[in-house]
Amino acid sequence: AMTKKVIGSDIVAYYIATNVDDETGEKTTSIEYFDRENLHDFLYNRWKENSGVLQRFVEPKGTQNVMVRAIWSPKVCLLERRVNNRQLHDKRFGLYERAITYEGPEF
């Protein structure tokens, strides 16, 4: 179902997982973006060591990936919008570099 009716970008899904370092106990969150081929490989061939969230990628209205982040408390609500500098359809760059917003470094 994740790869049906995909138009535009070759990104179809992403996986978010939290990893724990065995030595230090430090937790890190990682995100991985998939095209059809990599998603199939992830689902059927790859060993999964940890739990995570696999979610369908929703195409933004424009040509760049956009995310809105909301930080809420009873006294304040802060909304921020971040736009990736890379075009989603520019295959000179990897999936991660074209799709990342708040989850990673600024390119």
Side-chain angles (χ1 to χ4, degrees), residues 17-52:
T18 300
N19 306 309
V20 179
D21 187 310
D22 293 333
E23 294 179 10
T24 63
E26 184 177 325
K27 292 182 181 181
T28 58
T29 301
S30 64
I31 185 164
E32 185 174 358
Y33 291 92
F34 300 112
D35 58 13
R36 285 178 189 244
E37 182 181 319
N38 291 333
L39 178 62
H40 185 272
D41 182 58
F42 174 78
L43 292 174
Y44 297 106
N45 300 325
R46 227 166 81 183
W47 177 255
K48 288 134 191 104
E49 301 175 358
N50 49 20
S51 297

Side-chain angles (χ1 to χ4, degrees), residues 86-102:
R86 309 280 189 231
Q87 302 287 318
L88 275 174
H89 310 288
D90 191 348
K91 298 205 176 174
R92 294 178 299 166
F93 303 102
L95 298 176
Y96 181 83
E97 197 170 341
R98 289 184 278 150
I100 204 72
T101 54
Y102 284 103

Side-chain angles (χ1 to χ4, degrees), residues 1 6 8-9 16 21 24 28 38 43 50 52 56 66-69 76-77 82 87 105:
V6 174
S9 172
I16 302 171
D21 187 310
T24 63
T28 58
N38 291 333
L43 292 174
N50 49 20
R56 182 177 183 172
V66 177
M67 183 175 287
V68 175
R69 177 170 67 174
V76 69
C77 179
R82 184 172 282 183
Q87 302 287 318

Side-chain angles (χ1 to χ4, degrees), residues 1-7 9-15 32-40 54-59 95:
M2 281 196 190
T3 61
K4 292 184 180 180
K5 297 183 183 178
V6 174
I7 54 174
S9 172
D10 55 340
I11 303 169
V12 295
Y14 57 95
Y15 177 68
E32 185 174 358
Y33 291 92
F34 300 112
D35 58 13
R36 285 178 189 244
E37 182 181 319
N38 291 333
L39 178 62
H40 185 272
L54 180 65
Q55 186 168 335
R56 182 177 183 172
F57 181 77
V58 178
E59 288 276 333
L95 298 176

